[in-house]
Amino acid sequence: MAENKTNQWIIKNGSFAVPGQDKPVIQGCMVIEGDRIAYIGEEMPELENDVPVFDGTHLFFMPGLINTHGHAAMSLLRGYGDDLALQIWLQEKMWPMEAKFTSSDVYWGTALSVLEMLKGGTTTFLDMYDHMDQVAKVTEESGIRASLMRGVIGLCSEDIQRHKLNEAIQFARDWNGKADGRITTMISPHAPYTCPPDFIEKFVQAAFDLDLPMHTHMSETIAEVEQNVRDYGLRPVAHLEKLGVFSRPSLVAHAVHLTDEEIGILARNNVAVSHNPGSNLKLASGVARVTDLLKAGVTVSLGTDGAASNNNLDMFEEMRLAALIHKGVSGDPTAVPAYEALKMGTVYGAQSLFLQDVGTLAPGMKADFIALNTDQAHFLPHTDLISHAIYSASGKDVEHVWVDGKQIVKHGACLTMDEERIRREAQAAFEGLLSR
Amino acid sequence: MAENKTNQWIIKNGSFAVPGQDKPVIQGCMVIEGDRIAYIGEEMPELENDVPVFDGTHLFFMPGLINTHGHAAMSLLRGYGDDLALQIWLQEKMWPMEAKFTSSDVYWGTALSVLEMLKGGTTTFLDMYDHMDQVAKVTEESGIRASLMRGVIGLCSEDIQRHKLNEAIQFARDWNGKADGRITTMISPHAPYTCPPDFIEKFVQAAFDLDLPMHTHMSETIAEVEQNVRDYGLRPVAHLEKLGVFSRPSLVAHAVHLTDEEIGILARNNVAVSHNPGSNLKLASGVARVTDLLKAGVTVSLGTDGAASNNNLDMFEEMRLAALIHKGVSGDPTAVPAYEALKMGTVYGAQSLFLQDVGTLAPGMKADFIALNTDQAHFLPHTDLISHAIYSASGKDVEHVWVDGKQIVKHGACLTMDEERIRREAQAAFEGLLSR
């Protein structure tokens, strides 16, 4: 362990999920030193006498959940237009309202989402949106970890394209590594159907210049796949490969409609997929071929997408949906077992965001973790804590949250954000959007 | 309003979901008198001066949720065997353990489930199991409402068949109308594949003799449908119709695998269906044709099934799954809108259990209702409370629960059950089962 012992504290009598390691659950203790985990194991380590002790009885500690696709500010449109055909929802509900979003709206919408995510056990989120300085500000203030990017739609003049690209580059450069390293950035053309090919190539160049990964929406609906074939003679995967996107470390969101050949291309290029089961079901996009992707060795993580198409940001629900729907649709009850769903929400999430030191609990990893209160009816009997976390838990079972070793949520209350003010301001922002 | 004014109290400043009525949400107040609702509306009614007032600010009142299929005692096996092929799960995990269940196990398993259900906003549940006196006892003590029945498997000698049938009849006769009318009973052969035809006919006769409705599992898996055709030359729906089951008011659980013709038979006979989306997905049984059933005019309600195949008893999750999966699988984003899912969890639930006076909030109805705390990040902005209840809520958002006008859950704590003792005894019961 490191020299500075004063910075240490220990959790005793806990159960710890350690996804991706030999044994998925450890009964014992964990030592945190500063922003990192110093020790985890069944045996008590030797420590100074005065190290603070946190009693882990009745708590199930897990790595903080990692939400690998979303648009946090869209929580301002939660419940504003459900159960509609996709084009009506977009053209009559989402786009007219989003066009009115100011930076203040993005700030309060993001704050509302980050508050919900933190309280629900998400310690890292990806955000692709506009007014990203505001998202970075919320990230900095709240203590959450984030992978942030300006998502650029290129259906506009070359002048505006250039302006947006520069904005995306500027943001990525300015904020990468900020907030004590909690913020990393990516380069993100919105989607193949919203960005012309030569415009996407400019993003690839920027990603090379800045040495950053790339993120984009891909193959969410059948319609966009068909349009891609009509417009460019290729399905989206081959199209993005051809444009050089996959020569960068890449994460694609949705990937619902894939051929075997496309799965092969993703696997060969180490492209990670953010599976968004809740959003894909609600918008009737379809059911992604997750078991086939996993079988091919593709890293599949989980995202909530924006709250307007979900409608919550509870990653426990995404893990459960991932574990449930692929069984029901394939007819195979062994598809996506609970432990695999847990990995999708944690280890694979970290891999999808190209983060080396989060996603599981182990010495040297960042101390991003959460604690569930297991002394509740729906977690009994204590048969299999990972099964309970996936099939029975919700974000509301999260009792405590730590990021970088700092406690952010304590007994369900957020210590770093003014919850009451955020609720009030988010409601006011929505009413302002309605009235403008 | 009735004479006895002393028995009245009023909720002011509330939002009330009134599924199945003209306008789905009322902003206003509700008067409760004894065990029934006396008034609900936007205007304040004239009342005596000293009527107690309950402040409904920030609360969303809904009819208590109605769980129309389950086996409560199976919560003792929650997480004991997940992600397994159905026959292995049944033969190696469930059946050997269930064979060891004593009446005490059933008591504590049921108590654990009822505690979870009440805290999660379920005020009425159906239970089909063994040792049903214990289930009735938990129902009586806890204050929940229930439709109870001995579920009989008939793969045994005629002597044992006769004994079980008599037990089922005795239970149905003894308990119907008990616990201040909170308990009603049904007659329940377990399933067409576990009960020979002549045995099922005896249940039909019993249902006629006692003037009770019938409940059975039906067409949960493709395998059982195929077996039915092999054994009896008919698919299960025609088989049950031929045996006279549908000449009684009937509720069938699952009904995953149906032809158009079978949907027609169910509609023609007013047979209600308990859709169990969580269990059907987890056991990989498939996705029921819910939109087709609804279109044909069949009453479709929701059930959790036992906690061993779900793995929680959160009816908010079943409503959300019902609203999500049929969109995703059909490709139609307007399939099962939020309001329809709410009706499936409430009004249609009452109809499925043949209860006239629960399922919505209206004068004369039983005062079975719940209150969600809407002053939380995931319920903001306040766009559409029904959308939030379906797409964003979980059982953990339930703040208060009333059954028969009596408060059962207050600020998330159950007033009628010893929570700590139930948790301890349920754990001990599971450990006992393991060690026997």
Side-chain angles (χ1 to χ4, degrees):
Chain A
M1 286 206 261
E3 310 81 1
N4 177 15
K5 300 273 182 185
T6 57
N7 226 352
Q8 284 188 343
W9 56 284
I10 183 167
I11 298 167
K12 289 187 186 169
N13 309 316
S15 302
F16 301 86
V18 292
Q21 298 178 50
D22 289 348
K23 216 175 116 181
V25 176
I26 291 174
Q27 309 282 348
C29 51
M30 181 163 82
V31 177
I32 294 94
E33 189 171 318
D35 62 350
R36 292 191 187 262
I37 296 164
Y39 170 86
I40 181 166
E42 289 172 16
E43 309 295 321
M44 264 292 288
E46 275 191 43
L47 294 172
E48 305 273 316
N49 280 335
D50 57 351
V51 163
V53 174
F54 184 99
D55 182 14
T57 308
H58 292 313
L59 294 174
F60 185 42
F61 296 88
M62 299 168 54
L65 303 177
I66 298 177
N67 184 348
T68 63
H69 183 69
H71 317 284
M74 289 188 79
S75 62
L76 289 190
L77 304 179
R78 187 198 321 265
Y80 178 72
D82 298 300
D83 309 323
L84 298 169
L86 186 66
Q87 286 311 311
I88 296 175
W89 180 71
L90 281 173
Q91 290 171 14
E92 293 179 20
K93 293 286 182 174
M94 294 298 114
W95 291 346
M97 288 290 264
E98 285 186 283
K100 293 191 269 184
F101 271 37
T102 62
S103 62
S104 165
D105 292 327
V106 170
Y107 180 86
W108 291 114
T110 303
L112 185 70
S113 287
V114 168
L115 177 60
E116 182 186 350
M117 285 193 277
L118 280 170
K119 292 178 72 156
T122 295
T123 55
T124 302
F125 75 111
L126 177 146
D127 206 59
M128 177 216 272
Y129 211 65
D130 195 359
H131 302 288
M132 291 303 296
D133 286 342
Q134 301 300 316
V135 181
K137 207 171 144 204
V138 173
T139 304
E140 199 165 35
E141 293 166 358
S142 65
I144 200 168
R145 191 179 305 282
S147 174
L148 304 179
M149 63 216 66
R150 167 75 158 103
V152 177
I153 294 181
L155 304 172
C156 48
S157 72
E158 272 192 39
D159 264 10
I160 298 179
Q161 279 188 356
R162 197 174 312 116
H163 173 77
K164 285 180 169 182
L165 174 63
N166 286 338
E167 211 176 66
I169 291 171
Q170 193 68 43
F171 174 81
R173 186 186 284 136
D174 287 353
W175 284 96
N176 197 34
K178 291 289 159 61
D180 303 320
R182 282 184 288 110
I183 294 176
T184 49
T185 59
M186 290 198 203
I187 294 295
S188 178
H190 174 269
Y193 71 97
T194 56
C195 291
D198 61 331
F199 193 43
I200 291 179
E201 285 173 329
K202 288 180 183 143
F203 283 84
V204 175
Q205 187 56 53
F208 270 108
D209 294 345
L210 296 170
D211 194 20
L212 289 174
M214 296 191 72
H215 181 49
T216 191
H217 295 99
M218 191 194 73
S219 305
E220 181 177 2
T221 65
I222 290 177
E224 78 187 66
V225 173
E226 290 171 347
Q227 189 189 322
N228 210 90
V229 173
R230 270 198 311 276
D231 291 352
Y232 309 119
L234 290 171
R235 290 174 63 93
V237 175
H239 178 66
L240 290 178
E241 186 186 34
K242 189 179 158 197
L243 296 175
V245 173
F246 301 156
S247 63
R248 295 299 310 160
S250 296
L251 169 69
V252 293
H254 302 301
V256 177
H257 302 281
L258 299 175
T259 62
D260 289 349
E261 197 194 336
E262 286 178 296
I263 291 175
I265 298 174
L266 295 176
R268 222 166 33 245
N269 288 280
N270 285 318
V271 178
V273 167
S274 177
H275 175 42
N276 293 197
S279 171
N280 294 162
L281 290 173
K282 181 152 184 284
L283 299 179
S285 306
V287 177
R289 296 178 57 190
V290 165
T291 48
D292 294 326
L293 283 163
L294 289 167
K295 217 173 285 168
V298 174
T299 298
V300 183
S301 55
L302 293 168
T304 56
D305 209 351
S309 56
N310 191 307
N311 291 352
N312 63 38
L313 305 175
D314 183 350
M315 282 287 292
F316 283 94
E317 191 175 312
E318 300 305 320
M319 292 195 292
R320 180 155 53 245
L321 282 173
L324 288 180
I325 57 174
H326 304 293
K327 294 180 172 66
V329 169
S330 71
D332 175 6
T334 70
V336 192
Y339 186 40
E340 189 74 355
L342 175 65
K343 287 193 240 176
M344 290 168 75
T346 56
V347 195
Y348 301 160
Q351 290 167 7
S352 295
L353 302 185
F354 311 99
L355 300 174
Q356 311 300 320
D357 49 8
V358 294
T360 191
L361 305 179
M365 301 296 277
K366 288 279 190 178
D368 288 12
F369 62 100
I370 65 180
L372 270 63
N373 172 10
T374 58
D375 198 23
Q376 302 184 80
H378 59 296
F379 290 135
L380 283 168
H382 289 313
T383 43
D384 179 339
L385 287 171
I386 288 178
S387 162
H388 291 349
I390 299 302
Y391 292 121
S392 210
S394 83
K396 296 293 295 273
D397 296 315
V398 173
E399 188 81 12
H400 307 292
V401 176
W402 292 263
V403 179
D404 260 0
K406 274 201 288 216
Q407 189 155 13
I408 307 281
V409 173
K410 187 174 178 175
H411 294 301
C414 187
L415 304 176
T416 56
M417 304 181 89
D418 182 341
E419 297 195 34
E420 216 240 294
R421 179 161 184 218
I422 291 168
R423 287 196 300 265
R424 206 173 56 229
E425 296 282 359
Q427 179 67 27
F430 171 70
E431 287 168 13
L433 287 167
L434 269 189
S435 67
R436 281 203 293 276
Chain B
M1 286 207 256
E3 309 80 359
N4 178 14
K5 299 273 182 184
T6 56
N7 226 355
Q8 285 188 343
W9 56 285
I10 184 166
I11 299 169
K12 289 187 186 170
N13 310 315
S15 302
F16 300 86
V18 291
Q21 299 177 48
D22 289 348
K23 218 175 116 182
V25 176
I26 291 174
Q27 309 282 347
C29 51
M30 182 164 80
V31 178
I32 294 94
E33 189 171 317
D35 62 350
R36 295 195 186 257
I37 295 166
Y39 169 87
I40 181 166
E42 290 173 15
E43 309 295 320
M44 264 291 288
E46 274 190 45
L47 294 172
E48 307 272 317
N49 280 335
D50 57 349
V51 163
V53 174
F54 185 97
D55 183 14
T57 307
H58 293 313
L59 293 174
F60 185 41
F61 296 87
M62 300 168 54
L65 303 176
I66 298 178
N67 185 347
T68 63
H69 183 69
H71 317 284
M74 290 188 79
S75 61
L76 290 189
L77 304 180
R78 187 197 323 265
Y80 178 72
D82 298 300
D83 308 323
L84 297 169
L86 186 67
Q87 286 311 312
I88 295 174
W89 179 71
L90 281 174
Q91 290 170 15
E92 294 180 19
K93 293 286 181 173
M94 295 298 113
W95 292 344
M97 287 291 264
E98 286 186 282
K100 292 191 269 183
F101 271 37
T102 62
S103 62
S104 164
D105 292 327
V106 170
Y107 180 86
W108 290 112
T110 302
L112 186 70
S113 287
V114 168
L115 177 60
E116 181 186 351
M117 286 193 276
L118 280 171
K119 292 179 73 156
T122 295
T123 55
T124 301
F125 75 111
L126 177 147
D127 204 59
M128 178 217 272
Y129 212 65
D130 196 359
H131 301 289
M132 290 303 296
D133 286 341
Q134 301 300 314
V135 181
K137 205 171 147 203
V138 173
T139 303
E140 197 164 37
E141 293 165 358
S142 65
I144 200 169
R145 190 179 305 282
S147 174
L148 304 179
M149 64 216 67
R150 166 76 157 103
V152 177
I153 294 182
L155 304 172
C156 48
S157 71
E158 272 192 39
D159 264 8
I160 298 179
Q161 278 188 357
R162 197 173 313 118
H163 173 76
K164 285 179 168 182
L165 174 62
N166 287 338
E167 211 175 68
I169 290 171
Q170 191 69 44
F171 174 79
R173 185 185 286 138
D174 287 353
W175 284 96
N176 197 34
K178 290 290 158 62
D180 302 321
R182 284 185 286 108
I183 295 178
T184 48
T185 59
M186 291 199 202
I187 293 295
S188 179
H190 174 270
Y193 70 96
T194 56
C195 291
D198 61 331
F199 194 41
I200 291 180
E201 285 173 329
K202 288 180 184 144
F203 283 84
V204 175
Q205 187 56 53
F208 270 107
D209 294 344
L210 296 171
D211 193 20
L212 289 175
M214 296 192 71
H215 181 50
T216 189
H217 295 99
M218 191 194 75
S219 304
E220 181 176 3
T221 66
I222 291 178
E224 78 188 65
V225 173
E226 290 171 348
Q227 190 189 320
N228 210 91
V229 173
R230 270 198 313 275
D231 291 352
Y232 309 119
L234 290 171
R235 291 175 62 92
V237 175
H239 179 67
L240 290 179
E241 187 187 31
K242 188 179 158 199
L243 296 175
V245 172
F246 300 157
S247 62
R248 296 299 311 160
S250 296
L251 169 69
V252 293
H254 303 300
V256 177
H257 301 282
L258 298 176
T259 62
D260 290 348
E261 198 195 335
E262 285 177 298
I263 290 175
I265 297 175
L266 295 176
R268 220 167 33 245
N269 287 280
N270 286 318
V271 177
V273 168
S274 177
H275 176 42
N276 293 198
S279 170
N280 293 162
L281 291 171
K282 182 153 185 280
L283 299 180
S285 306
V287 177
R289 296 177 59 188
V290 165
T291 48
D292 295 325
L293 283 164
L294 290 167
K295 215 172 288 168
V298 174
T299 299
V300 183
S301 56
L302 293 167
T304 56
D305 209 353
S309 57
N310 189 307
N311 291 354
N312 63 39
L313 304 177
D314 184 350
M315 281 287 291
F316 284 93
E317 191 175 312
E318 300 305 321
M319 291 194 294
R320 180 155 53 246
L321 283 172
L324 289 179
I325 57 174
H326 304 293
K327 294 179 172 66
V329 168
S330 70
D332 175 5
T334 70
V336 191
Y339 187 39
E340 188 76 355
L342 175 64
K343 287 193 243 177
M344 291 168 74
T346 56
V347 194
Y348 301 160
Q351 290 168 6
S352 296
L353 302 186
F354 311 99
L355 300 174
Q356 310 301 320
D357 49 7
V358 295
T360 191
L361 305 179
M365 302 293 280
K366 287 280 190 179
D368 288 14
F369 61 101
I370 66 180
L372 271 63
N373 172 11
T374 59
D375 198 24
Q376 302 185 79
H378 60 295
F379 290 136
L380 282 168
H382 288 313
T383 44
D384 180 339
L385 287 171
I386 288 177
S387 163
H388 291 349
I390 300 302
Y391 291 122
S392 210
S394 82
K396 295 293 293 273
D397 295 315
V398 173
E399 189 79 13
H400 308 291
V401 176
W402 291 263
V403 178
D404 260 358
K406 275 200 287 215
Q407 188 155 14
I408 307 282
V409 173
K410 187 173 179 175
H411 294 301
C414 187
L415 304 176
T416 54
M417 304 181 87
D418 182 343
E419 297 196 33
E420 217 241 294
R421 178 159 186 221
I422 291 167
R423 289 197 298 266
R424 205 173 59 229
E425 296 283 359
Q427 179 67 29
F430 171 70
E431 288 168 13
L433 286 167
L434 269 189
S435 67
R436 281 203 293 276

